[in-house]
Amino acid sequence: MTVTLKAEALEAFVADIFASAGCSKEEGGRIGRYLVSANLSGHDSHGVVRVPRYAVQKKNGTVVSDVTVEVVIDTPVIAVVDGKYGFGQTVTPQAVRIGIEKCLKNGLSAVTLRNAGHVGRVGDWAEMAAEAGLVSIHFVNASGSVLVAPYGGVERRFSTAPYCVGIPRPGQDPLVLDFATSIVAEGKVLVASQGGKKVPDGALIGPDGKPSADPHLLYGDYTPTGPREHAKGTGAIQAFGDHKGSGLAFMCEMLGGSLSGNGATDPKRGRFANGMLSFYVDPRVFDPAGFFPADIAKYVAFVKSSKPAGAGGEVLVPGEPESRTRAKRLAEGVPLPDDTWAAIVETARSVGLDERRIQQATM
């Protein structure tokens, strides 16, 4: 069973939850906007399913509200940014804005972000750069979150280590490739555990080396609306694409983690933090003749003209599924599994949100 809510109402409810939890009104609004944006894009794993987990992190002090980032190193084209464990929805746009501003001045920039709370859907940051007309590339890790088994192994060694590329298209939605280097993001296992879409068979692997799709392998025992603690599970998520995905995950740990100063993921690290290395490129500097956008359009058309593998099928390019899902959910509402919605409502009560406001949201 699912509950369907209009995006604007859901965003406002999430914003009120975090304002009640001690965030500023502005930060609550950012958290609500970016989480619901992930749901609108079809990436429910990075959407409002995260509300209970974020609220617990705020209560425990492992994430800090209303942080202004510290720029540790600052050159014309490079910045090293410390998020000081602020909410990812607050500190990440600050770091991305620094990268955009440097790139617009110089044609190229590189920015690392370390010690950030969960940065959410990385595609949001690629879209932010694309709105400024910039190409961007992002390598991300999650230190303290060890979830993924390397190819050939069964024990956890990687975070889900996302990788993302964004390419602007004048007058059109950008091309955005955004994926975890595991078969599924941990959030997709979380959604499945709350009655949402199931993970693919073989997305998980047990200590005996047998593939599985059972979320209990990652979280151990749990109640419908209770917390999911991956430290209690005995299995791991598998890297996608055998040695190729495993190798890319390793490099995301090296670049998003080690090079950023966040550190490659380590089970001994007590405090979760995302790290990110981002490159920004101004195509107008590389291509004053305007070849790039015309060639993009030509190649997109060429790729999409491929005969579909199945009857009624269609070839899609990166970012196209998200654009279509966004249009559909803006019109029809955001569907949430009953357990997810119940956990959000329970969180609202736990942070002291006025019961009348809660009843208004559940009507």
Side-chain angles (χ1 to χ4, degrees), residues 163-166 175-179 318-319:
Y163 171 76
C164 180
V165 179
L175 300 169
V176 178
L177 178 70
D178 174 22
F179 56 77

Side-chain angles (χ1 to χ4, degrees), residues 14-314:
V14 173
D16 287 347
I17 289 172
F18 285 98
S20 187
C23 300
S24 68
K25 181 179 179 181
E26 293 75 18
E27 180 165 69
R30 278 192 301 273
I31 296 170
R33 183 169 66 256
Y34 282 119
L35 290 185
V36 173
S37 173
N39 287 107
L40 288 173
S41 300
H43 293 275
D44 297 323
S45 58
H46 288 64
V48 296
V49 71
R50 299 271 174 175
V51 167
R53 189 173 289 180
Y54 282 14
V56 169
Q57 291 170 342
K58 172 67 172 68
K59 181 180 179 180
N60 293 344
T62 54
V63 67
V64 182
S65 59
D66 295 291
V67 164
T68 298
V69 300
E70 178 184 357
V71 181
V72 179
I73 294 173
D74 190 12
T75 81
V77 296
I78 291 173
V80 175
V81 178
D82 193 328
K84 299 190 292 187
Y85 296 97
F87 275 98
Q89 292 74 17
T90 291
V91 300
T92 316
Q94 292 179 56
V96 173
R97 199 168 296 116
I98 290 168
I100 290 171
E101 290 171 357
K102 288 182 180 295
C103 184
L104 291 175
K105 290 179 181 177
N106 299 288
L108 186 70
S109 67
V111 175
T112 61
L113 172 65
R114 65 192 186 207
N115 299 329
H118 185 252
V119 301
R121 175 180 166 255
V122 186
D124 279 327
W125 317 124
E127 289 170 1
M128 182 176 170
E131 286 177 10
L134 305 181
V135 173
S136 64
I137 304 170
H138 310 266
F139 298 88
V140 184
N141 95 313
S143 193
S145 176
V146 189
L147 296 168
V148 181
Y151 178 65
V154 298
E155 295 177 314
R156 306 176 187 186
R157 292 295 183 268
F158 303 142
S159 66
T160 54
Y163 171 76
C164 180
V165 179
I167 297 175
R169 292 191 293 173
Q172 292 181 279
D173 290 334
L175 300 169
V176 178
L177 178 70
D178 174 22
F179 56 77
T181 50
S182 50
I183 291 178
V184 293
E186 185 264 336
K188 292 189 186 299
V189 188
L190 178 62
V191 169
S193 77
Q194 293 185 340
K197 184 178 179 181
K198 294 182 179 179
V199 299
D201 289 338
L204 308 176
I205 188 169
D208 56 2
K210 293 181 179 179
S212 175
D214 182 3
H216 289 91
L217 200 61
L218 196 66
Y219 300 125
D221 291 333
Y222 51 79
T223 61
T225 61
R228 307 298 194 259
E229 298 179 33
H230 46 71
K232 294 181 178 179
T234 59
I237 309 173
Q238 296 209 70
F240 84 89
D242 298 333
H243 63 285
K244 296 178 182 179
S246 185
L248 184 55
F250 183 87
M251 291 304 177
C252 285
E253 293 288 352
M254 295 292 97
L255 299 176
S258 299
L259 184 61
S260 72
N262 198 57
T265 193
D266 183 346
K268 295 179 181 178
R269 176 171 177 150
R271 195 172 186 180
F272 170 91
N274 273 143
M276 182 167 76
L277 168 64
S278 301
F279 295 103
Y280 302 91
V281 177
D282 190 342
R284 292 159 294 202
V285 176
F286 282 79
D287 175 42
F291 174 82
F292 186 52
D295 201 60
I296 289 172
K298 184 177 74 171
Y299 192 66
V300 166
F302 176 60
V303 169
K304 287 182 66 62
S305 71
S306 175
K307 180 181 177 181
E314 182 183 6

